Amino acid sequence: LGFMNIFNCMLIFLRITGPVSVIITQTSPSYSPVCPEDDVVLTCQGTSNNTFLVFRASNSGTLQAIDNTSIINTKLNGIVLQWSGMNGTDLTATATISNIPLNMNGVIISCSTSGTGPFAMEKINITGDPPSVTNLTLTPLDNTSAVLTWSTNEQPNCVSFYTIELDSENSTFLYNTSNSTPQQIISDLMIGQTYNITVTAIDVIGTSGNRSLQLEYYWNVPMRVTNFIAVQNVETNVVMIAWSYSSDNIHPPVLYYAVEHNITGSGEVIFATDTNVSIMISMLNEENIFSISIAAVNIIGIGPYLHKNVIIVISPTRSSIGISSSDVTSQIHTGII
């Protein structure tokens, strides 16, 4: 019958002499839970005066011994056992489950230096549905394209790709990413459209996760600035112009502001170098009515101008600023100037 068959029949009667210790660990892949269809390798290491290791699986009552005389690819309920070596009393063998099926989830693989134990145990954990997608962010690249990024609520080890749904007033687009990298370039965005975006993770066996919360994004030039004020400094002969802008996460961010005025008589246009919402302008020492126009600028173009008329009065006894109540909003411009 051969040594190993006789051994398997008499395994429960074996006695062990000398010190005994045994451990079993998952050595591949490096993460847990594992993915469906992964190749999973468990390594058993024992110390004993015996020259064999014994494996069993909780979904089978069979004990399977292995030593250096075992045939290649000895199997235990579909699990491939392989002898790795012996160094004195140190014994090593592996148990490999190829293309692990879902019904192996929760199965406990045990090993020992004896048929009577003690047994070291390792539980197989297979991931469930793909992780949920969160934190959708759209970052403009130019006036017709942007990069969409996101994250997941757990490690996406088993994600194969993502499906992106992009709904607008006129159409619906579907994107499948080429891999599990959490980003995608979105092209051919149309100015003036509101886009509703969702992302879904798809795992290695085609199972869909939960759809992300919807990201609403308005692909357009900035809104009009508000809360215009003008403050005069008589001593320095300077007027400070200030305004505000309500930033949000559904418009491309403001890059800078365009400020047009004729306070100095030049009719110059000033482009702020950052998003500070104030500017200092030198003025003439006489009574004047000046016009101020301010617009926010993003990667798509220039938003509507806010026009104000400013009355500056300078005299030996007093100075004041008046701002007309009439506002004029310009037409929307596109293309950064």
Side-chain angles (χ1 to χ4, degrees), residues 4 28-30 42 98 109 160 204 261 265 292 295 332:
M4 292 310 298
S28 181
S30 60
L42 306 176
S98 299
I109 309 299
S160 178
V204 293
H261 67 87
I292 304 287
I332 292 176

Side-chain angles (χ1 to χ4, degrees), residues 240-261:
M240 183 190 76
I241 305 298
W243 59 93
S244 62
Y245 183 84
S246 299
S247 298
D248 55 41
N249 294 321
I250 65 171
H251 289 81
V254 170
L255 300 177
Y256 54 85
Y257 296 93
V259 181
E260 183 177 350
H261 67 87

Side-chain angles (χ1 to χ4, degrees), residues 94-312:
T94 59
T96 300
I97 311 166
S98 299
N99 297 312
I100 190 166
L102 288 174
N103 62 12
M104 287 291 291
N105 187 40
V107 170
I108 297 173
I109 309 299
S110 307
C111 75
S112 176
T113 57
S114 162
T116 58
F119 280 88
M121 295 178 287
E122 181 76 2
K123 184 178 180 180
I124 301 295
N125 290 307
I126 302 176
T127 188
D129 291 338
S132 298
V133 174
T134 59
N135 300 324
L136 272 64
T137 303
L138 196 68
T139 303
L141 298 175
D142 53 41
N143 62 358
T144 61
S145 64
V147 59
L148 178 68
T149 59
W150 57 89
S151 57
T152 56
N153 62 352
E154 59 189 69
Q155 288 296 319
N157 296 315
C158 303
V159 172
S160 178
F161 64 93
Y162 296 90
T163 295
I164 301 165
E165 185 172 331
L166 189 74
D167 290 324
S168 70
E169 299 168 11
N170 299 326
S171 57
T172 298
F173 298 95
L174 291 176
Y175 294 84
N176 286 335
T177 63
S178 59
N179 51 44
S180 60
T181 302
Q183 69 175 41
Q184 174 70 37
I185 293 178
I186 308 297
S187 304
D188 301 322
L189 296 171
M190 298 181 63
I191 297 173
Q193 290 288 307
T194 298
Y195 291 97
N196 297 310
I197 307 170
T198 58
V199 180
T200 305
I202 312 296
D203 72 9
V204 293
I205 59 173
T207 304
S208 297
N210 294 325
R211 181 179 295 184
S212 70
L213 295 177
Q214 180 175 278
L215 170 66
E216 182 181 61
Y217 206 91
Y218 188 41
W219 192 256
N220 211 336
V221 297
M223 299 177 292
R224 191 176 70 158
V225 302
T226 58
N227 299 328
F228 177 92
I229 62 170
V231 179
Q232 179 184 356
N233 187 321
V234 178
E235 295 180 358
T236 59
N237 195 28
V238 168
V239 61
M240 183 190 76
I241 305 298
W243 59 93
S244 62
Y245 183 84
S246 299
S247 298
D248 55 41
N249 294 321
I250 65 171
H251 289 81
V254 170
L255 300 177
Y256 54 85
Y257 296 93
V259 181
E260 183 177 350
H261 67 87
N262 63 350
I263 289 180
T264 60
S266 63
E268 63 182 326
V269 177
I270 298 174
F271 293 98
T273 57
D274 52 32
T275 55
N276 289 338
V277 289
S278 65
I279 193 169
M280 309 297 290
I281 305 172
S282 298
M283 60 186 184
L284 300 176
N285 289 326
E286 59 185 57
E287 181 176 333
N288 283 288
I289 300 176
F290 300 105
S291 64
I292 304 287
S293 300
I294 305 168
V297 183
N298 64 17
I299 199 167
I300 296 176
I302 304 173
Y305 275 92
L306 172 67
H307 299 288
K308 290 287 187 177
N309 291 323
V310 179
I311 302 173
I312 299 178

